[in-house]
Amino acid sequence: MKHLQTSLLLTAALSLTAASAYAHTAKSSPAAGASASPSTPPTIASAIDREISIVEKELVDAAEAMPEAKFDISPEKLSLPGSDYKGVRTFGEQLKHVAASNYLIWSPITGEKPPDTVNDGKGPDNMKAKADILKYLKDSFAFGHKAVATLNDSNLVQPIPRNNKPPTTRLFLATFAPAHAFDHYGQLIEYLRMNGIVPPASRGR
């Protein structure tokens, strides 16, 4: 009972966290609520899956909006006076980092080994083409949807041992990945605007 009450409180908090982002995309993103329907009672897994779907659409739309020729753009190349962007990731590197991190963060939920392409969270060094990066990103979110579908009341806060790291929980991992992705989405929209592109989520306003 104690675990169930804790789970319900955490689910409520998670729903509030995702609410503003969902409201931002709901009108232009019919798929944002596709993982739940009025006739299906919500579950912990479906609530988290819905949040993942929201940030997935934001990132994929942003990636598709950037021309392939500008995937190697970073603020460093703008040479802004007084700025310090030396060594920051390019637009494409940002996307590969999100995808690789998705695999690394979500894999302990099921115990499945992440692909060798994670490359310490950088993604494949030799992956440059827009289509390949987009596929890598989408595949990483598919991996996350699959992992989160295994969540339930009995395993949500069960400690997961990790090599050379403190134990964690499936709840933390399931929700940390979209939070991390949202962080990088906020950076990516600045890359779009610096190149004269209005982010898809901000269009038509």
Side-chain angles (χ1 to χ4, degrees):
M1 178 62 75
K2 184 177 180 181
H3 278 175
L4 179 58
Q5 290 173 338
T6 301
S7 298
L8 290 173
L9 288 172
L10 289 169
T11 301
L14 174 64
S15 298
L16 288 173
T17 301
S20 59
Y22 177 71
H24 181 69
T25 59
K27 290 184 179 180
S28 60
S29 175
S35 58
S37 67
S39 60
T40 304
T43 64
I44 292 168
S46 69
I48 297 174
D49 188 77
R50 190 176 189 181
E51 183 178 13
I52 293 170
S53 293
I54 293 169
V55 70
E56 177 182 9
K57 176 169 175 54
E58 297 274 35
L59 277 165
V60 170
D61 285 355
E64 290 178 338
M66 182 70 92
E68 182 168 21
K70 295 193 174 184
F71 262 51
D72 66 343
I73 287 291
S74 80
E76 180 180 3
K77 296 183 178 182
L78 298 177
S79 300
L80 300 174
S83 65
D84 185 8
Y85 289 108
K86 186 176 182 179
V88 300
R89 296 182 180 97
T90 65
F91 187 86
E93 288 170 345
Q94 288 262 17
L95 294 170
K96 290 192 293 182
H97 169 65
V98 171
S101 297
N102 284 347
Y103 282 117
L104 288 170
I105 296 169
W106 279 320
S107 59
I109 292 177
T110 60
E112 187 174 348
K113 184 179 181 295
D116 294 336
T117 55
V118 294
N119 191 21
D120 294 325
K122 296 184 295 182
D125 290 327
N126 60 352
M127 184 181 287
K128 306 293 184 183
K130 176 178 179 176
D132 293 338
I133 293 174
L134 269 168
K135 183 179 185 305
Y136 188 55
L137 180 67
K138 292 176 181 179
D139 287 349
S140 76
F141 277 108
F143 181 87
H145 288 298
K146 179 181 175 182
V148 168
T150 67
L151 296 177
N152 55 56
D153 287 343
S154 64
N155 68 14
L156 190 67
V157 292
Q158 184 182 50
I160 302 175
R162 297 186 294 173
N163 293 333
N164 302 319
K165 291 182 180 180
T168 188
T169 65
R170 289 174 177 83
L171 175 63
F172 174 80
L173 296 172
T175 56
F176 178 66
H180 173 262
F182 270 123
D183 179 24
H184 285 278
Y185 170 71
Q187 298 174 47
L188 288 167
I189 61 172
E190 294 304 317
Y191 284 50
L192 290 174
R193 290 192 181 278
M194 284 188 290
N195 286 278
I197 301 170
V198 177
S202 300
R203 295 174 186 174
R205 295 179 179 231

